[in-house]
Amino acid sequence: NKGRGSAFILFYLMVETSTSWRVALRQEFKWDKIRFTEVIAWNKGFTESWVFKDQKTYLTIRITFAILVLGILLWSSLDMAVPGDYEYWWIYLTHWTLVVESMYFVSAAYTTWRAFTNKEQKLSADKHMILSWVLHDIAYPSTCLVMVMFWGLVFSPPIRALTTFTHGVNFIMMLVDVILSSQPYYIMHAAYFLIYSAVYIGWTLFFYAVKARNDDGDRYVYSALDYEDDLGGALVSIAIAFFFLIPLQLPLLWSVVHFRTRKANHTIQDNGDNQDDNEVEMANRITLQV
């Protein structure tokens, strides 16, 4: 009987969680979520952690992340600058994304610092907070896509330490930041990531059209995007990215935020965190609907 009871409870929780996930996911596909009109009420979502109640601890973590990703950026730059190939550094999506990620972590650290040093007054949403949101919307999915596509389409042995940091560790940092923070992530905001991706594809076409060459002397940026000798393969690679990998990864990345939010809400309830009506309204805006 106990075994049956436990199985029933587990089945109920799975169904309830699945139903909640589907309902929340359907609510994501609303045109009003593509804008930033409610950002003025989202201060806490961008400056506080549901895990660390001590804001100073969270600020320290964000500053540490900013320093670490800047270190990876510097390491990657010097890796090509020392041999005299720095001009080629800028042609790769890996490095474009590393720049965006660095900008995000610096912006996030600065926004959190502003909130920490202005405790006596409510911060109004400004260009820094909106900038953090936009950069996050691009960096979160793009670091994942770069990691998957590099190891799946581009990588060839041997493995270098720098390679693991620019195609794996940097995404793990983004993932940890997402889990620790209270920041929102809307699937509709994938529009900004898609624009970013399309701009890069346009760049590779321009690179080919002007007959530029990479640091190995090839007429392409990546071998998977060889428009001259393997146009069909290049088109297939683009199709795989836009019609398979991206549609697959976006719900997964959103799900991390969704279940983090559910856990955060349950934690707040368990701790008996009494919020007044205004704070509850703000928290509801910050979190996803469950």
Side-chain angles (χ1 to χ4, degrees), residues 156-198:
S156 60
I159 297 178
R160 302 176 62 213
L162 177 59
T163 299
T164 62
F165 274 84
T166 55
H167 302 94
V169 173
N170 60 328
F171 170 65
I172 293 174
M173 291 175 62
M174 284 298 308
L175 193 60
V176 172
D177 179 75
V178 166
I179 293 172
L180 295 182
S181 75
S182 301
Q183 290 185 187
Y185 178 68
Y186 286 169
I187 284 185
M188 291 299 288
H189 281 196
Y192 310 113
F193 164 58
L194 291 174
I195 292 173
Y196 170 77
S197 301

Coordinates of all heavy atoms in Angstrom, one line a residue, residues 156-198:
S156 N 38.0 19.6 -34.0 CA 38.9 18.6 -34.4 C 40.0 18.5 -33.4 O 40.5 19.5 -32.9 CB 39.4 18.8 -35.8 OG 40.2 20.1 -35.9
P157 N 40.4 17.3 -33.0 CA 41.5 17.1 -32.0 C 42.7 17.8 -32.4 O 43.0 18.1 -33.6 CB 41.6 15.6 -31.9 CG 40.4 15.1 -32.5 CD 39.9 16.0 -33.5
P158 N 43.6 18.2 -31.4 CA 43.5 17.9 -29.9 C 42.6 19.0 -29.2 O 42.4 20.0 -29.8 CB 44.9 17.9 -29.5 CG 45.6 18.9 -30.4 CD 44.9 18.8 -31.7
I159 N 42.3 18.6 -28.0 CA 41.5 19.6 -27.2 C 42.5 20.5 -26.4 O 43.4 20.0 -25.8 CB 40.6 18.9 -26.1 CG1 39.6 18.0 -26.8 CG2 40.0 19.8 -25.2 CD1 38.7 17.2 -25.8
R160 N 42.3 21.8 -26.6 CA 43.1 22.8 -25.8 C 42.3 23.3 -24.7 O 41.1 23.4 -24.7 CB 43.4 23.9 -26.8 CG 44.2 23.5 -28.0 CD 44.5 24.7 -28.9 NE 45.3 25.7 -28.2 CZ 45.1 27.0 -28.4 NH1 44.2 27.5 -29.2 NH2 45.9 27.9 -27.8
A161 N 43.0 23.7 -23.6 CA 42.3 24.3 -22.4 C 41.5 25.5 -22.8 O 40.3 25.6 -22.3 CB 43.4 24.6 -21.4
L162 N 42.0 26.4 -23.6 CA 41.3 27.6 -24.0 C 40.0 27.2 -24.7 O 38.9 27.8 -24.5 CB 42.1 28.5 -24.9 CG 41.5 29.7 -25.4 CD1 41.0 30.6 -24.3 CD2 42.4 30.5 -26.4
T163 N 40.0 26.2 -25.5 CA 38.8 25.7 -26.2 C 37.7 25.3 -25.3 O 36.5 25.7 -25.5 CB 39.2 24.5 -27.1 OG1 40.2 24.9 -28.1 CG2 37.9 24.0 -27.9
T164 N 38.0 24.7 -24.2 CA 37.0 24.3 -23.3 C 36.4 25.5 -22.5 O 35.2 25.5 -22.2 CB 37.5 23.3 -22.2 OG1 38.6 23.9 -21.5 CG2 38.1 22.0 -22.9
F165 N 37.2 26.5 -22.3 CA 36.7 27.7 -21.6 C 35.8 28.5 -22.5 O 34.9 29.1 -22.1 CB 37.9 28.5 -21.1 CG 38.4 28.1 -19.8 CD1 39.3 27.0 -19.7 CD2 38.0 28.7 -18.6 CE1 39.8 26.6 -18.4 CE2 38.4 28.3 -17.4 CZ 39.3 27.2 -17.3
T166 N 36.1 28.6 -23.8 CA 35.4 29.4 -24.7 C 34.2 28.7 -25.4 O 33.4 29.3 -26.1 CB 36.3 30.0 -25.9 OG1 36.9 28.9 -26.5 CG2 37.3 31.0 -25.3
H167 N 34.1 27.4 -25.2 CA 33.1 26.6 -25.8 C 32.4 25.6 -24.7 O 32.0 24.5 -25.1 CB 33.6 25.8 -26.9 CG 34.2 26.6 -28.0 ND1 35.5 26.8 -28.1 CD2 33.6 27.2 -29.1 CE1 35.8 27.6 -29.2 NE2 34.6 27.8 -29.8
G168 N 32.4 26.1 -23.5 CA 31.8 25.2 -22.5 C 31.7 25.9 -21.1 O 30.7 26.1 -20.5
V169 N 32.9 26.3 -20.6 CA 33.0 26.9 -19.3 C 32.2 28.2 -19.3 O 31.5 28.5 -18.3 CB 34.4 27.2 -18.8 CG1 34.5 28.0 -17.6 CG2 35.1 25.8 -18.7
N170 N 32.3 29.0 -20.4 CA 31.5 30.3 -20.4 C 30.0 30.0 -20.4 O 29.3 30.8 -19.8 CB 31.9 31.1 -21.6 CG 31.7 30.4 -22.9 OD1 31.7 29.2 -23.0 ND2 31.4 31.2 -23.9
F171 N 29.5 29.0 -21.0 CA 28.1 28.7 -20.9 C 27.7 28.2 -19.5 O 26.6 28.6 -19.0 CB 27.7 27.6 -21.9 CG 26.3 27.1 -21.7 CD1 25.2 27.9 -21.9 CD2 26.1 25.8 -21.3 CE1 23.9 27.5 -21.7 CE2 24.8 25.3 -21.1 CZ 23.7 26.2 -21.3
I172 N 28.6 27.4 -18.9 CA 28.3 27.0 -17.5 C 28.2 28.2 -16.6 O 27.3 28.3 -15.7 CB 29.4 26.1 -17.0 CG1 29.3 24.7 -17.8 CG2 29.2 25.8 -15.5 CD1 30.4 23.8 -17.5
M173 N 29.0 29.2 -16.8 CA 28.9 30.5 -16.0 C 27.6 31.2 -16.3 O 26.9 31.7 -15.3 CB 30.1 31.4 -16.4 CG 31.4 30.9 -16.0 SD 32.8 32.0 -16.5 CE 32.4 33.5 -15.7
M174 N 27.1 31.2 -17.5 CA 25.8 31.8 -17.8 C 24.7 31.0 -17.1 O 23.8 31.6 -16.5 CB 25.6 31.8 -19.3 CG 26.3 32.9 -20.1 SD 25.9 34.6 -19.6 CE 24.1 34.6 -19.7
L175 N 24.8 29.7 -17.1 CA 23.8 28.8 -16.5 C 23.7 29.0 -15.0 O 22.6 29.1 -14.5 CB 24.1 27.4 -16.9 CG 23.0 26.3 -16.6 CD1 21.7 26.7 -17.4 CD2 23.5 24.9 -16.9
V176 N 24.9 29.1 -14.4 CA 24.9 29.3 -13.0 C 24.3 30.7 -12.6 O 23.6 30.8 -11.6 CB 26.4 29.2 -12.4 CG1 26.5 29.6 -11.0 CG2 26.9 27.8 -12.6
D177 N 24.7 31.7 -13.4 CA 24.1 33.0 -13.2 C 22.6 33.0 -13.3 O 21.9 33.6 -12.5 CB 24.7 34.0 -14.2 CG 24.2 35.4 -14.1 OD1 24.6 36.1 -13.1 OD2 23.3 35.8 -14.9
V178 N 22.1 32.3 -14.3 CA 20.6 32.2 -14.4 C 20.0 31.5 -13.2 O 19.0 32.0 -12.7 CB 20.3 31.4 -15.7 CG1 18.8 31.0 -15.7 CG2 20.6 32.2 -17.0
I179 N 20.6 30.5 -12.7 CA 20.0 29.7 -11.6 C 20.1 30.5 -10.3 O 19.1 30.5 -9.5 CB 20.8 28.4 -11.4 CG1 20.5 27.5 -12.6 CG2 20.4 27.7 -10.1 CD1 21.4 26.2 -12.6
L180 N 21.1 31.3 -10.1 CA 21.3 32.1 -8.9 C 20.4 33.3 -8.9 O 20.0 33.8 -7.8 CB 22.7 32.4 -8.6 CG 23.7 31.3 -8.4 CD1 25.1 31.8 -8.1 CD2 23.2 30.4 -7.2
S181 N 20.2 33.9 -10.0 CA 19.5 35.2 -10.1 C 18.0 35.0 -10.1 O 17.4 33.9 -10.0 CB 19.9 35.9 -11.4 OG 19.3 35.3 -12.5
S182 N 17.3 36.2 -10.2 CA 15.9 36.2 -10.3 C 15.5 36.8 -11.6 O 14.3 37.2 -11.8 CB 15.3 37.0 -9.1 OG 15.6 36.5 -7.9
Q183 N 16.4 36.8 -12.6 CA 16.1 37.5 -13.8 C 15.1 36.7 -14.7 O 15.2 35.5 -14.7 CB 17.4 37.6 -14.6 CG 18.4 38.6 -14.1 CD 19.6 38.9 -14.9 OE1 20.5 39.6 -14.5 NE2 19.6 38.3 -16.1
P184 N 14.3 37.4 -15.4 CA 13.3 36.8 -16.3 C 14.0 36.4 -17.6 O 15.1 36.9 -17.9 CB 12.3 37.9 -16.5 CG 13.1 39.1 -16.5 CD 14.1 38.9 -15.4
Y185 N 13.4 35.4 -18.2 CA 13.8 35.0 -19.6 C 12.6 34.7 -20.4 O 12.0 33.6 -20.1 CB 14.8 33.9 -19.6 CG 15.3 33.5 -21.0 CD1 16.0 34.3 -21.7 CD2 14.9 32.2 -21.5 CE1 16.4 33.9 -23.0 CE2 15.2 31.9 -22.8 CZ 16.0 32.7 -23.5 OH 16.4 32.3 -24.8
Y186 N 12.2 35.5 -21.3 CA 11.1 35.3 -22.2 C 11.5 34.6 -23.5 O 12.4 35.1 -24.1 CB 10.4 36.6 -22.5 CG 9.6 37.2 -21.3 CD1 9.1 38.5 -21.4 CD2 9.3 36.5 -20.2 CE1 8.4 39.1 -20.4 CE2 8.6 37.1 -19.1 CZ 8.2 38.4 -19.2 OH 7.5 38.9 -18.2
I187 N 10.7 33.6 -23.9 CA 11.0 33.0 -25.2 C 10.8 34.0 -26.3 O 11.5 34.0 -27.3 CB 10.1 31.8 -25.4 CG1 10.6 30.6 -24.5 CG2 10.0 31.4 -26.9 CD1 9.9 29.3 -24.7
M188 N 9.9 34.9 -26.2 CA 9.7 35.9 -27.2 C 10.9 36.8 -27.4 O 11.1 37.4 -28.4 CB 8.4 36.8 -26.9 CG 7.1 36.0 -27.0 SD 6.8 35.4 -28.7 CE 6.5 36.9 -29.6
H189 N 11.7 36.9 -26.3 CA 12.9 37.7 -26.4 C 14.0 37.0 -27.2 O 15.1 37.6 -27.5 CB 13.5 38.1 -25.0 CG 12.7 39.2 -24.4 ND1 13.2 39.9 -23.3 CD2 11.5 39.8 -24.6 CE1 12.4 40.8 -22.9 NE2 11.3 40.8 -23.7
A190 N 13.7 35.8 -27.6 CA 14.6 35.1 -28.6 C 14.7 35.8 -29.9 O 15.6 35.6 -30.6 CB 14.1 33.7 -28.8
A191 N 13.8 36.8 -30.1 CA 13.9 37.6 -31.3 C 15.2 38.3 -31.4 O 15.8 38.4 -32.5 CB 12.7 38.6 -31.4
Y192 N 15.7 38.8 -30.3 CA 17.0 39.5 -30.3 C 18.1 38.6 -30.5 O 19.1 39.0 -31.2 CB 17.1 40.3 -28.9 CG 15.9 41.1 -28.6 CD1 15.1 40.7 -27.5 CD2 15.5 42.1 -29.4 CE1 13.9 41.4 -27.2 CE2 14.3 42.8 -29.1 CZ 13.5 42.5 -28.0 OH 12.4 43.2 -27.7
F193 N 18.0 37.4 -30.0 CA 19.0 36.4 -30.3 C 19.0 35.9 -31.8 O 20.1 35.7 -32.4 CB 18.8 35.2 -29.4 CG 19.5 33.9 -29.8 CD1 20.9 33.9 -29.9 CD2 18.8 32.7 -30.0 CE1 21.6 32.7 -30.3 CE2 19.4 31.6 -30.4 CZ 20.8 31.6 -30.5
L194 N 17.8 35.8 -32.3 CA 17.7 35.4 -33.7 C 18.3 36.5 -34.7 O 18.9 36.3 -35.7 CB 16.2 35.2 -34.1 CG 15.6 33.9 -33.5 CD1 14.1 33.8 -33.8 CD2 16.3 32.7 -34.0
I195 N 18.0 37.8 -34.3 CA 18.6 38.9 -35.0 C 20.1 38.8 -35.0 O 20.8 39.0 -36.0 CB 18.1 40.3 -34.5 CG1 16.6 40.4 -34.8 CG2 18.9 41.4 -35.1 CD1 16.0 41.6 -34.1
Y196 N 20.7 38.6 -33.8 CA 22.1 38.4 -33.6 C 22.7 37.3 -34.5 O 23.7 37.5 -35.2 CB 22.4 38.2 -32.1 CG 23.8 37.8 -31.8 CD1 24.8 38.7 -31.7 CD2 24.1 36.4 -31.5 CE1 26.1 38.3 -31.4 CE2 25.4 36.1 -31.1 CZ 26.4 37.0 -31.1 OH 27.7 36.6 -30.8
S197 N 22.0 36.2 -34.5 CA 22.4 35.0 -35.3 C 22.3 35.3 -36.8 O 23.2 35.0 -37.5 CB 21.5 33.8 -35.0 OG 21.6 33.5 -33.6
A198 N 21.3 36.0 -37.2 CA 21.1 36.4 -38.6 C 22.2 37.4 -39.1 O 22.7 37.3 -40.2 CB 19.7 37.0 -38.9

